Amino acid sequence: MSATPVKDIPFVAKLLSESDVPSPKSQAIEGEWLERASKLTTPKPKDLETPLAELDSHLTLRSYMCDYRLTKADLIVWGTLRNNPVANNLIKQGIRVNITRWFNFIDESNPWIAESVNEVVQSRNKSNKEETLTDDGPNYDLDLQDTSKGVVTRFPPEPSGFLHIGHAKAALLNDYFAHKKYKGTLILRFDDTNPSKETQEFQDSIVEDLAMLGVSPDKTSHTSDYFQQLHDYCMQMLEEGTAYADDTEQETLRKERMDGIPSKRREYSPQDSLAKFKEMKAATEEGKRWFIRAKISPDDPNGAMRDPVVYRCNPRPHHRTGDTWKIYPTYDFCCPIVDALEGVTHALRTTEYKDRDAQYQWMIKALRLRNVYNWDFARMNFVRTLLSKRKLTQFVENGTVWGWNDPRMPTIRGIRRRGMTEAALQEFILSQGPSKNIVNLDWTLFWATNKKYIDPLSARYTAVSEPDVVTATVHGARAAPYHEDKPFHAKYPLGMKKVYYSQSILLEQADAVSFAEDEEITLMNWGNAIVRKISHSMLGVGKKVTGLELELHLQGDVKKTKKKVHWLSKDQELIPCELYDFDYLITKDKLEEGDDVDDFLTKQTLFKTDAKADCNVAALQENAIMQFDRKGYYRVDQPFRHNKAAVFFQIPTGK
């Protein structure tokens, strides 16, 4: 029995509490399913084998556990299986066909279940994240300034792209200091001040990604909620002479700021600047030329203090406010203001904003706003990886990648699509801590963290690469094809698969070309065989193997053979597959200032191999994580459906 009563399992409790699904006709039947479900709670694959086999047999001709309708028995078993990551992964792999069919039917025919599950997942992720922050991990014992009156932090993403790995660290740290360290408040604020780039799609994706990370904001807001106040503060600065209107051409502006030269408009009168601001608000042809700058200093040693731009004209409609506004504040202007207005006590930012902290505080003082503390931490950088949203956007727009969720992208969605698990992602990010030391992390440790989560759950399958595939005749095999049930995993009991045997098998060219006549080899999951004949194509140098004749030698010692190869019987339903592997997008570990990204783009980052896989692959579902013998771990991106090839993405392991 489970230490936790089945009805107290999070998924089960949630489903039972939020539905009016009837109990089975007999109370005894419900009790029976509670007892059977308790055997499905074990995290040990071996202990799951028997109860899963019994359940699969029970569901052979059934759509529901009992009766001819959805009952609490279905919710109890469904919730128990969904709560158990080992069982859930086996379902995705389709190892128990009837369970997988029933599980998907219950899910798809009851949309409310998905909503309940998402709430439980978000709560669980948050708990898992807190458990990761132990005394054995990084030092989180850092004291923020003046916390006696409470702590309010904020995570302010711009909804103009998907969250990347760097954003994940910022979100988790803000959440940690707000919720765990000080029991305060976390605000999720969308910095939606650029209508040219922002969409509702990006905003929705950010909410979903944060939930996956276990980040639960107490309040969600938008900078656009404060457009009127921001406008009024800009008017105040213009009236008080702490800001001015400017129409300097962009290239000249850049040069003047670099050289510490004041703009010719710097001494514009408040009345003239207000007049230009009015033109900007109307988006007239004249107004489009102008922008507003804070009047701080033209030649401060800190370049961020050299009269930064605080407002621009942009007549494009905003995705939330429509055509109401034609002017929009810059991040540097609105961030300190909205932080102050929303009661933020500590603005946690990456060290790249360090030079702009002085500008932030200048805005607070110039507008006589309540104090907000700045606190910096190092962003998470990785070798051969760009985290600049502008550059990542270029990759998407110019077709370098498929999109924001491309497995080569450092976005949360891209990394997840590559095969990173939620638990490993949280563990790795939180293990980096809030240090201010900037380092370039290696992806190998990142993926090594993931491997320990996926290995025990990855059933083994077989795929043979198709280019120049070799057909071998196996002498000594039975005349008629047959199959045997073999374990999906040699170490972990993940169920059984069908392995077909026949006189005609397929091997990969790379293996066949390495054989010598009369050499003894091992056919995995079968036994030893002796290579009796090798046929080659008549192409001279670089000739290829076109056929093999093998003689079974099952009494041979598999420990003594040097070559142990995978193979496939031709006498089964072979599943067409596309196996993808990926390389880094850039060739240099760290781009320096002045480096042109185009000069360091990796010429080929996508590698596709057509293959044929064993018949068991047909049951795999999207997102299942598995392993092909001698090839590695893979995530199912597109399952085999309607005779269309299944698509697999290789998962790095840190090697």
Side-chain angles (χ1 to χ4, degrees), residues 71-117:
T71 67
K72 289 183 178 179
D74 293 283
L75 298 184
I76 288 168
V77 177
W78 194 98
T80 303
L81 291 172
R82 180 62 180 82
N83 190 74
N84 187 336
V86 177
N88 195 38
N89 196 58
L90 294 175
I91 291 171
K92 288 181 179 179
Q93 294 182 34
I95 291 173
R96 298 291 181 182
V97 177
N98 296 315
I99 296 178
T100 298
R101 169 186 52 76
W102 165 83
F103 189 90
N104 291 338
F105 169 71
I106 297 298
D107 184 20
E108 294 167 2
S109 59
N110 299 277
W112 64 272
I113 288 180
E115 297 178 8
S116 297
V117 165

Side-chain angles (χ1 to χ4, degrees), residues 550-612:
L550 308 177
E551 179 184 331
L552 274 185
H553 185 232
L554 299 183
Q555 65 271 32
D557 188 349
V558 298
K559 295 180 180 179
K560 294 183 178 180
T561 57
K562 293 182 179 180
K563 296 169 185 173
K564 296 170 176 60
V565 300
H566 61 285
W567 55 276
L568 285 174
S569 167
K570 294 178 69 174
D571 295 285
Q572 65 178 306
E573 182 189 4
L574 294 174
I575 308 301
C577 298
E578 296 174 357
L579 309 182
Y580 285 85
D581 195 9
F582 306 93
D583 197 358
Y584 297 104
L585 291 171
I586 60 175
T587 60
K588 191 175 181 181
D589 280 357
K590 180 183 179 183
L591 292 185
E592 305 296 338
E593 189 173 347
D595 282 345
D596 188 337
V597 176
D598 292 339
D599 293 337
F600 297 95
L601 289 179
T602 306
K603 291 183 179 180
Q604 183 178 2
T605 59
L606 184 152
F607 304 88
K608 173 189 168 188
T609 302
D610 293 324
K612 285 288 193 293

Side-chain angles (χ1 to χ4, degrees), residues 253-474:
L253 173 65
R254 188 177 296 109
K255 188 176 186 307
E256 287 180 348
R257 291 196 73 205
M258 182 67 68
D259 297 337
I261 300 172
S263 167
K264 61 183 179 181
R265 305 293 190 188
R266 196 169 196 274
E267 299 307 323
Y268 235 35
S269 69
Q271 292 75 20
D272 289 336
S273 289
L274 286 166
K276 297 303 181 185
F277 192 47
K278 184 176 181 180
E279 295 277 355
M280 290 171 59
K281 287 190 289 184
T284 64
E285 289 304 312
E286 175 67 11
K288 293 176 186 177
R289 294 177 43 240
W290 292 78
F291 48 91
I292 306 300
R293 298 175 66 179
K295 194 174 183 180
I296 304 177
S297 169
D299 56 0
D300 193 284
N302 180 349
M305 298 291 281
R306 296 182 181 180
D307 292 4
V309 175
V310 297
Y311 251 98
R312 289 190 174 94
C313 179
N314 187 343
R316 182 171 296 189
H318 189 279
H319 74 281
R320 292 189 75 239
T321 61
D323 295 320
T324 303
W325 296 95
K326 313 293 184 184
I327 53 171
Y328 295 95
T330 63
Y331 177 84
D332 287 334
F333 179 68
C334 62
C335 191
I337 295 175
V338 180
D339 281 351
L341 293 176
E342 289 194 326
V344 171
T345 59
H346 298 80
L348 277 59
R349 313 200 294 182
T350 56
T351 51
E352 64 186 306
Y353 287 94
K354 184 67 176 177
D355 288 345
R356 290 152 78 176
D357 287 347
Q359 180 194 102
Y360 182 107
Q361 294 300 328
W362 184 92
M363 297 287 181
I364 292 284
K365 291 181 175 61
L367 292 168
R368 299 177 289 282
L369 299 170
R370 53 174 291 280
N371 182 55
V372 181
Y373 291 104
N374 295 119
W375 194 86
D376 305 306
F377 61 89
R379 68 179 296 172
M380 195 154 55
N381 296 317
F382 284 86
V383 297
R384 299 180 66 181
T385 303
L386 295 175
L387 295 180
S388 162
K389 188 179 293 185
R390 178 178 60 82
K391 293 173 182 175
L392 293 178
T393 301
Q394 289 177 358
F395 287 157
V396 173
E397 293 178 347
N398 65 21
T400 301
V401 295
W402 298 327
W404 287 95
N405 67 341
D406 188 294
R408 292 162 289 185
M409 292 282 275
T411 56
I412 299 300
R413 297 197 168 199
I415 294 167
R416 291 276 291 133
R417 194 177 178 195
R418 187 80 182 265
M420 172 60 65
T421 60
E422 295 176 10
L425 180 60
Q426 288 184 18
E427 177 183 326
F428 181 84
I429 293 174
L430 288 170
S431 70
Q432 304 309 306
S435 169
K436 297 187 179 186
N437 297 323
I438 301 175
V439 294
N440 256 18
L441 299 171
D442 196 305
W443 284 101
T444 55
L445 179 59
F446 184 79
W447 290 109
T449 302
N450 191 54
K451 182 183 177 182
K452 69 181 182 182
Y453 286 92
I454 66 175
D455 182 65
L457 306 177
S458 296
R460 271 52 169 170
Y461 298 80
T462 302
V464 172
S465 301
E466 280 197 295
D468 304 311
V469 66
V470 178
T471 298
T473 300
V474 184

Side-chain angles (χ1 to χ4, degrees), residues 12-28:
V12 176
K14 187 73 171 178
L15 295 178
L16 293 179
S17 68
E18 295 196 353
S19 73
D20 54 1
V21 171
S23 297
K25 293 179 180 179
S26 167
Q27 190 67 31

